[in-house]
C-alpha cells in the first residue's frame, strides 16, 4: 500500500500500549529484511533514513527504495527522516515524499531548538506530515559517558511541556537513560522520569532513541508509560555484519555476493521480528491493512495491567 504518515500509527500505539519499531536501513537488503519481518508479523513499521544513510545512498534513492517496498506489502509503512539536521534538509525530505520528519535540535540552546522545530512543524503540517522533535540529549557510546553525564542530559519534564506547546511538534524524543550505538544491552531507563514527562504531555507520543543498548525489562516498563516509537539501528547492523561474515566464510569460493547478502538480510529480518514481538506491535494489523478493531490491549494485558 502507499506510505502512510506516523500520526495514526503512533496514536494507535499510545492508546493501546504498544510501540512501533523504527528501524534504520542503509541498503536494499536491510530495507527488505525490515519489511518482510513487518509483513510476516502483521505489524506497522517505520523505516527511517539516518544522516549516515543519506550520505551513503543519497536521499532520493533511500526514499525511493522504501516507497517501492511499501507498495508491495499490505501493512502500513512510514518513511521517516531520522535526526534531521536542519530546516533545509527537512524541506528536501518533504519534497522527496517522506511521510514523517524529525528535526533534532537537542544540541542547540532551548530557544533555537524551539524556533527551528516550530518552523519545520509549520510547513510540514500544511501538507499533513507529522514532525518528531528532541529535547534533552541522547548521547553516543563512543563518548564513553559516565552515569552522571547521561543523567545530566536527561529531559526536563516541565521544559518538555513548554517545548511541545510552543513548537506544535507531533511526537517527542526524550532522553531517559539510553545511549546511542551501545553494543550490549545494559542501559536501564529512568521510568519515574518518563512518567513525569508523560504527566506533563499525556497526549504526545514519546520516542526512545539509542534502543539497541536498552535492557528488555526496561522496554517492557517504558511502553505503558508512553513510549510509542522505538528506534533501533546498531542491533540490526550487528546482525547484518554477522550474516555477511558467516556468508563469506560459508561461500568462500563463490563470486556471487548475493549468497552472503541473503544471510545478512535474513538476520535483519529475524532481529526485527524479535523486536516487534517485544514491543507488542505484532498482530495489530488486520488482513485489510488497518489497525484491528476493537483495539487489542497488547502490552497492558501481557504485563498484568501495568497502569
Ligand atoms: O536514531 C536512531 C537510533 O536512536 C538508534 O540507536 O543504534 O543505539 O539502536 P541505536
Ligand atoms: Zn537516535
Amino acid at each position: 500500500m502507499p506510505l502512510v504518515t506516523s500520526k495514526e500509527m503512533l496514536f494507535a500505539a499510545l492508546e493501546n500500549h504498544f510501540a512501533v519499531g523504527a528501524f534504520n536501513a542503509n541498503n536494499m537488503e536491510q530495507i527488505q529484511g525490515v519489511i518482510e519481518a513487518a509483513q510476516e508479523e502483521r505489524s506497522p513499521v517505520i523505516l527511517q533514513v539516518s544522516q549516515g544513510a543519506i550520505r551513503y545512498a543519497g536521499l532520493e534513492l533511500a526514499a525511493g527504495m522504501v516507497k517501492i517496498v511499501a507498495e508491495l506489502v499490505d501493512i502500513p509503512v512510514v518513511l521517516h527522516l531520522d535526526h534531521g539536521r536542519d530546516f533545509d534538509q527537512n524541506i528536501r525530505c518533504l519534497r522527496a515524499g517522506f511521510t514523517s520528519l524529525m528535526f533534532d535540535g537537542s544540541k542547540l540552546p532551548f530557544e533555537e531548538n524551539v524556533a527551528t522545530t516550530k518552523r519545520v512543524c509549520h510547513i510540514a503540517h500544511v501538507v499533513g506530515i507529522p514532525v518528531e522533535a528532541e529535547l534533552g540529549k541522547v548521547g553516543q557510546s563512543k563518548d564513553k559517558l559516565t552515569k552522571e553525564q547521561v543523567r545530566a542530559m536527561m529531559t526536563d519534564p516541565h521544559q518538555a511541556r513548554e517545548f511541545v506547546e510552543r513548537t506544535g511538534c507531533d511526537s517527542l524524543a526524550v532522553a531517559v537513560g539510553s545511549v546511542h550505538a551501545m553494543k550490549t544491552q545494559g542501559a536501564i531507563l529512568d521510568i519515574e522520569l518518563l512518567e513525569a514527562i508523560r504527566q506533563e504531555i499525556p497526549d504526545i507520543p514519546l520516542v526512545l532513541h539509542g534502543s539497541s543498548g536498552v535492557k528488555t525489562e526496561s522496554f517492557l516498563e517504558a511502553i505503558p508509560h508512553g513510549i510509542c516509537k522505538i528506534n533501533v539501528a546498531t542491533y540490526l547492523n550487528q546482525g547484518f555484519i554477522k550474516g555477511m561474515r558467516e556468508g563469506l566464510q560459508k561461500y568462500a569460493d563463490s563470486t556471487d555476493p548475493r549468497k552472503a547478502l541473503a544471510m545478512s538480510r535474513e538476520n535483519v529480518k529475524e532481529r526485527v521480528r524479535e523486536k516487534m514481538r517485544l514491543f507488542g506491535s505484532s498482530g495489530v494489523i488486520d488482513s485489510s491493512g488497518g489497525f484491528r478493531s476493537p483495539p487489542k490491549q497488547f502490552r497492558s494485558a501481557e504485563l498484568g495491567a501495568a497502569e
Side-chain angles (χ1 to χ4, degrees):
M1 63 168 78
L3 291 170
V4 300
T5 78
S6 53
K7 190 98 186 171
E8 187 200 4
M9 203 179 268
L10 295 185
F11 277 117
L14 187 65
E15 270 177 34
N16 299 297
H17 306 295
F18 66 88
V20 182
F23 302 102
N24 289 68
N26 301 289
N27 58 35
M28 183 187 80
E29 287 77 9
Q30 288 179 321
I31 293 172
Q32 287 176 312
V34 173
I35 281 288
E36 285 172 15
Q39 176 75 8
E40 287 175 25
E41 291 294 320
R42 302 304 303 165
S43 169
V45 70
I46 298 174
L47 266 158
Q48 51 185 22
V49 182
S50 68
Q51 297 303 305
I54 291 173
R55 285 193 295 274
Y56 176 70
L59 189 59
E60 278 71 23
L61 183 59
M65 284 191 288
V66 176
K67 281 186 223 171
I68 289 171
V69 292
E71 291 283 353
L72 301 175
V73 292
D74 65 351
I75 40 105
V77 179
V78 168
L79 169 60
H80 177 77
L81 168 65
D82 189 28
H83 292 288
R85 116 184 134 213
D86 53 29
F87 178 79
D88 292 6
Q89 183 181 61
N90 270 275
I91 301 308
R92 279 197 292 276
C93 288
L94 208 51
R95 188 159 195 263
F98 280 62
T99 55
S100 185
L101 296 177
M102 177 183 189
F103 171 65
D104 177 3
S106 60
K107 292 188 189 72
L108 299 173
F110 182 75
E111 287 300 329
E112 284 178 42
N113 189 2
V114 168
T116 307
T117 302
K118 194 173 168 180
R119 262 177 95 206
V120 173
C121 287
H122 178 80
I123 294 204
H125 291 170
V126 171
V127 288
I129 300 299
V131 179
E132 175 183 328
E134 181 161 337
L135 188 68
K137 286 190 207 82
V138 178
Q140 298 289 339
S141 69
K142 65 175 166 42
D143 295 334
K144 303 200 185 319
L145 301 164
T146 63
K147 279 188 180 160
E148 292 66 36
Q149 286 171 315
V150 172
R151 177 147 296 281
M153 298 192 301
M154 287 187 186
T155 307
D156 177 282
H158 299 296
Q159 219 179 30
R161 183 192 196 138
E162 182 188 342
F163 184 84
V164 166
E165 282 173 359
R166 288 177 62 192
T167 61
C169 67
D170 301 272
S171 59
L172 187 67
V174 290
V176 290
S178 57
V179 174
H180 282 109
M182 285 173 67
K183 290 181 181 155
T184 52
Q185 295 164 358
I188 297 173
L189 302 176
D190 184 337
I191 303 297
E192 257 178 56
L193 175 63
L194 182 61
E195 180 55 25
I197 298 168
R198 187 171 76 138
Q199 294 290 334
E200 293 288 337
I201 43 172
D203 302 327
I204 298 291
L206 303 177
V207 180
L208 186 66
H209 281 248
S211 309
S212 293
V214 172
K215 276 184 179 287
T216 299
E217 311 84 84
S218 255
F219 284 128
L220 296 178
E221 280 185 289
I223 294 167
H225 290 280
I227 291 293
C228 299
K229 172 176 178 274
I230 301 185
N231 291 7
V232 183
T234 303
Y235 184 60
L236 303 191
N237 285 339
Q238 287 171 319
F240 190 86
I241 294 285
K242 188 168 177 279
M244 261 174 102
R245 287 209 176 98
E246 288 168 359
L248 290 173
Q249 261 187 355
K250 187 169 174 187
Y251 302 109
D253 296 330
S254 174
T255 54
D256 184 351
R258 290 167 298 197
K259 291 187 168 162
L261 287 170
M263 288 177 70
S264 290
R265 180 169 62 194
E266 197 55 29
N267 275 2
V268 170
K269 178 174 156 185
E270 282 316 308
R271 287 180 179 224
V272 171
R273 290 187 75 161
E274 170 206 319
K275 293 299 181 196
M276 287 173 163
R277 289 176 193 171
L278 179 63
F279 301 161
S281 70
S282 288
V284 307
I285 299 302
D286 65 21
S287 56
S288 61
F291 285 87
R292 274 197 192 172
S293 180
K296 189 177 153 195
Q297 296 294 316
F298 292 91
R299 293 253 61 99
S300 50
E302 280 170 34
L303 294 172
E307 302 145 294

